[in-house]
Amino acid sequence: MSQITIHDLHDKLTAKEISAVELTKQMIAHRDAAEGEIHAYLSVSDEAALARAAAVDARIAAGEAISDMAGIPGAVKDNICIKGETCTAASRMLEHWVAPYNATVIEKLEAEDYISLGKTNLDEFAMGSSTENSYFGPSRNPWDTECVPGGSSGGSAAAVAANEAVWALGSDTGGSIRQPASFCGLVGLKPTYGLVSRYGLLAFASSLDQIGPIVKDVTDAAIVLNAIAGHDPRDSTSIPMEKKDYKKALKTDVKGLRIGVPDEFFGPGIKEETKAAIQSALKFYEGEGAEIVPVSIPHIKSGVSVYYIIAPAEASSNLARYDGVGFGFRMPGEDIVDMYIKTRSAGFGKEVKRRIMLGNYVLSAGYYDAYYLKALKVRKLLKEDFDQAFAKCDVIAAPSASGAAFKFGAFSDPLSLYMEDICTVPVNLVGAPSISIPVGFHDGMPLGMQLIGPTLGEERILNAAYAFEQAHPEYTKTAPKGDM
Ligand code: GLN
């Protein structure tokens, strides 16, 4: 097996060419062989996986129909709660914390007879772009183990690219699904804010967080989205809407599609090879009868600044609960205040502490208006820019990252790494859906392109992504470490 996808394996399972138990055992063996080098997982759940696989085989043997995802082993980012399993957020603070309930996405996946091989690595509390901020050490990129897999959902992307999981869930607050998907040659989909429930996702920045799939191809993205999308009364920001079948959007026809190209996404910080790859993708679309429309999103220039005010502000409030009392790590102290200080000093890593300090600063009396309130105003201007752009086009094309995956330690100062988020954070700030797809290679490393849609425009971006992917099978390759 090489390029293994949910849809191919589903066909094999239903044709009885392979059983779910055989498949799961094979994936576990491959995962265990690869993990020494890749370190995509923080914990595994093989017993539960094999029990679920046996149940799926029994249903197939009984002639029952199975869902698209049934019996196909995947993995879940370790900031999403699975009842009875540890949920660490890659933090010392939650090293031994066992989730007492299931996230809504997990409940939904259970209804599809999903199989999870374990929980995947991330930057601590999803803050970062490389997994270098994980308390448990970084994951490695299956295309080149000297490079980062991206982040924060780097473990999820590394697992899928190395064929240690067929699919994985990630979370995206400022790019954490799309950037690792792009670094690992995969497809990553950040749904519209509110399309997928956040219940049971450990909160980083609640007005930005969304759960979504990291997978091999666009068809698999639609399959996982079908399983996890839907209204949830337990998440007050969940959009009440009818369920859709996103597989219906998988069409190669893009005739008449208006693709917006904002100059601001192609500035000097973006590498030439990335620009060239996207230019050639745009030529392809033109050849297929799509229309390329210049649009402008002037406030992109403020995107990183606004994000690094709003996200830390929300994080500082969300992370206040980790105080050594309710749950998680506790360092004893002389009195309760001393205990809080010791617990939070030892329990959080450097980047998390930096964000808490930033967040508390921008929310504090005297600075609130100057930073937080101002950031909210610019966020609104950014939303207006996107609305105006979408009056002229159906989807927007942009890079997923400035270039291909970088080497470990390449960014020693936090600010230059923050700047790297320029392509992805504006999309979270406006709540739009966006898919990252492989668009080429540079020096053997994958490059990614985003297709951004208007609110609830998932079908449009899936259609545009599918059309490109079907015409460019050469970009959907297996990473060298993925051979099995
Ligand atoms: N790199 C961004 C950050 O560090 C995005 C993280 C994310 O989407 N979780 O905040």
Side-chain angles (χ1 to χ4, degrees), residues 77 126-129 151-152 171-176 204 307-308 355 421:
K77 187 176 181 178
M127 298 175 188
S129 310
S152 65
S171 67
D172 191 315
T173 304
S176 282
F204 164 7
Y307 174 83
Y308 278 96
R355 307 259 180 138
D421 292 335

Side-chain angles (χ1 to χ4, degrees), residues 36-71:
E37 220 173 354
I38 304 296
H39 188 231
Y41 284 84
L42 293 180
S43 56
V44 296
S45 45
D46 298 350
E47 225 174 284
L50 287 165
R52 281 177 195 279
V56 171
D57 285 339
R59 296 186 57 173
I60 296 171
E64 286 177 39
I66 56 164
S67 77
D68 285 341
M69 290 185 73

Side-chain angles (χ1 to χ4, degrees), residues 8-333:
D8 280 348
L9 288 167
H10 174 78
D11 293 345
K12 289 202 171 90
L13 283 175
T14 49
K16 299 194 178 139
E17 282 170 35
I18 188 168
S19 75
V21 168
E22 274 162 17
L23 173 64
T24 306
K25 283 189 175 159
Q26 206 175 336
M27 301 269 327
I28 290 173
H30 176 69
R31 180 201 66 200
D32 289 348
E35 266 303 86
E37 220 173 354
I38 304 296
H39 188 231
Y41 284 84
L42 293 180
S43 56
V44 296
S45 45
D46 298 350
E47 225 174 284
L50 287 165
R52 281 177 195 279
V56 171
D57 285 339
R59 296 186 57 173
I60 296 171
E64 286 177 39
I66 56 164
S67 77
D68 285 341
M69 290 185 73
I72 304 191
V76 176
K77 187 176 181 178
D78 205 20
N79 60 352
I80 298 171
C81 292
I82 302 183
K83 190 175 176 180
E85 291 185 26
T86 50
C87 190
T88 68
S91 179
R92 186 181 188 192
M93 197 57 104
L94 293 176
E95 188 175 1
H96 304 293
W97 186 67
V98 176
Y101 63 93
N102 275 327
T104 296
V105 289
I106 299 299
E107 271 180 10
K108 285 183 179 287
L109 288 170
E110 277 192 352
E112 307 281 320
D113 295 317
Y114 92 123
I115 293 180
S116 165
L117 297 183
K119 307 291 294 289
T120 52
N121 197 14
L122 62 151
D123 289 290
E124 186 177 1
F125 282 104
M127 298 175 188
S129 310
S130 64
T131 69
E132 288 167 298
N133 296 336
S134 168
Y135 175 65
F136 305 104
S139 303
R140 297 184 174 275
N141 192 314
W143 290 86
D144 177 352
T145 51
E146 285 182 16
C147 290
V148 304
S152 65
S153 314
S156 291
V160 176
N163 274 332
E164 295 184 48
V166 182
W167 56 270
L169 291 186
S171 67
D172 191 315
T173 304
S176 282
I177 288 175
R178 291 160 285 155
Q179 181 257 27
S182 141
F183 280 10
C184 291
L186 300 169
V187 172
L189 172 65
K190 183 204 92 73
T192 299
Y193 182 78
L195 182 61
V196 176
S197 170
R198 291 179 297 111
Y199 179 78
L201 167 69
L202 301 188
F204 164 7
S206 311
S207 78
L208 303 163
D209 300 339
Q210 265 298 282
I211 297 173
I214 297 182
V215 283
K216 296 268 176 41
D217 65 11
V218 180
T219 304
D220 280 5
I223 290 172
V224 179
L225 188 64
N226 274 349
I228 63 174
H231 180 241
D232 178 12
R234 290 178 298 188
D235 171 359
S236 63
T237 59
S238 165
I239 303 171
M241 59 181 278
E242 291 290 308
K243 237 181 148 30
K244 286 184 180 172
D245 179 2
Y246 293 101
K247 280 203 290 182
K248 289 198 179 134
L250 303 175
K251 297 186 189 126
T252 51
D253 181 11
V254 288
K255 210 167 180 330
L257 186 79
R258 296 168 307 164
I259 303 180
V261 184
D263 266 0
E264 296 88 351
F265 268 124
F266 296 85
I270 308 300
K271 303 232 167 76
E272 288 310 317
E273 57 268 20
T274 309
K275 292 182 196 170
I278 294 177
Q279 280 311 330
S280 89
L282 293 174
K283 282 223 171 65
F284 158 80
Y285 282 118
E286 241 175 345
E288 294 295 298
E291 194 189 330
I292 307 301
V293 191
V295 292
S296 178
I297 305 188
H299 292 93
I300 279 181
K301 64 175 187 304
S302 310
V304 171
S305 319
V306 170
Y307 174 83
Y308 278 96
I309 290 173
I310 292 176
E314 294 183 16
S316 66
S317 150
N318 278 326
L319 268 55
R321 72 191 69 170
Y322 304 108
D323 58 3
V325 179
F327 43 92
F329 173 80
R330 171 189 286 197
M331 185 83 107

Side-chain angles (χ1 to χ4, degrees), residues 66 236 403 408 429 446 451 480:
I66 56 164
S236 63
F408 287 97
L429 288 167
L451 295 162

Side-chain angles (χ1 to χ4, degrees), residues 44 62 77 121 155 162 173 261 279 281 350 363-364 373 388 439 456:
V44 296
K77 187 176 181 178
N121 197 14
T173 304
V261 184
Q279 280 311 330
K350 222 165 145 185
L363 288 174
S364 57
L373 210 60
Q388 275 168 21
V439 75
L456 296 177

